[in-house]
Each structure stands twice: as structure tokens, then as C-alpha cells.
Amino acid sequence: MKVLHVDHIGIAVHGIDAGRLFWEDVLGLSFEGEETVVEQKVTTAFFPVGESEVELLEAVEADSPVGRYLAKRGEGVHHIAFRVEDIDAALQELKAKGIRLIDEIPRTGAGGARIAFIHPKETQGVLVELCERSGKGDGR
Ligand code: CO
């Protein structure tokens, strides 16, 4: 597979507004808006950095993947996403290598990206997302 670059770093936060105080006001990153991914019950906020982004993740409700993560582990780095050229080919390659996947089939993430997570048991405990974006130039 071809991994192009780090697409984004997902950070679980209790509140995006509070998160902006650091990422935008202190670090000086530009805030590019929020998007709620209804299926995942999460609101995401993007702060582009070069070819990558910081992505804050706020749970829409406690009973959601990010809500459960926050309850168990508190705020912090939730996942690292790598941009790949072809996510279908990447997933096939991983399956052929016997790598456990959370998503065998890509689903739609924020910004319309096609995404899939690799099981953290395969990655020394890091939740790794693969991400394919068709559009160019929006930095997501
Ligand atoms: Co992500």
C-alpha cells in the first residue's frame, strides 16, 4: 500500500470550545470549522497543519465511541490517521497479511473521507485510521 502522509491526529476532548483555547489561541492554528458525524455521534473540529490536521473529537452523547473513550481514559490522543492512495487496496493487503481490522469495509468519515480503523492489538495499542480523500486542496 502507499501511505502518503499523516492525514490527521484525532484528539478526544470534553469540549471543542475549550480545546480551541489552546490549539487556536495559543498555538495559532486556524480553526476550519466543525462537522458532526451522526453515525459516530461525534463532532469534529479541524485545525490544518501543513499536509495534516489536528482533529478535535467531542462526543455528542456519552454512549458513543468517543464518549466511552473519554469516560475510560480521559482527554488525549485518540487515533492517528494516515492518508492512503487507495483504501480498498490497502484493506485487501492488510487482510491478506492477517491483520485484524475494526472496519473491513471503508465507511464515511468527516469531510467525506473514506476511512477504516485497524485493530489496536495490531499496532502496539495505537488506534490507526486509514483515510482516502478524493478531493484535493481542502486539506482533509
Ligand atoms: Co479520524
Side-chain angles (χ1 to χ4, degrees):
M1 86 184 68
K2 181 145 190 205
V3 176
L4 301 172
H5 55 81
V6 173
D7 187 84
H8 60 272
I9 298 170
I11 300 173
V13 296
H14 290 305
I16 284 171
D17 289 344
R20 285 177 68 175
L21 293 176
F22 176 73
W23 298 100
E24 188 181 16
D25 297 349
V26 178
L27 224 55
L29 305 184
S30 66
F31 171 61
E32 299 265 304
E34 294 179 16
E35 180 184 343
T36 297
V37 181
V38 175
E39 187 205 22
Q40 291 297 307
K41 298 176 184 166
V42 68
T43 299
T44 59
F46 310 99
F47 303 83
V49 187
E51 289 189 308
S52 305
E53 293 185 316
V54 169
E55 185 180 304
L56 300 187
L57 308 163
E58 178 185 331
V60 170
E61 58 181 74
D63 184 20
S64 62
V66 170
R68 286 188 289 272
Y69 179 93
L70 283 164
K72 197 169 156 192
R73 303 170 73 166
E75 295 182 305
V77 173
H78 177 266
H79 66 272
I80 299 175
F82 294 97
R83 178 91 64 103
V84 294
E85 219 166 46
D86 181 342
I87 196 166
D88 300 298
L91 291 175
Q92 272 197 340
E93 189 180 323
L94 291 170
K95 275 186 238 175
K97 288 177 174 166
I99 303 294
R100 270 172 300 174
L101 302 171
I102 291 174
D103 302 297
E104 304 237 330
I105 295 165
R107 52 192 162 93
T108 304
R114 300 178 70 221
I115 67 169
F117 287 97
I118 300 172
H119 199 289
K121 288 240 154 69
E122 303 283 6
T123 61
Q124 291 76 48
V126 179
L127 184 57
V128 172
E129 174 188 330
L130 301 179
C131 170
E132 178 194 313
R133 297 184 193 275
S134 48
K136 236 194 88 64
D138 69 351
R140 294 185 200 161

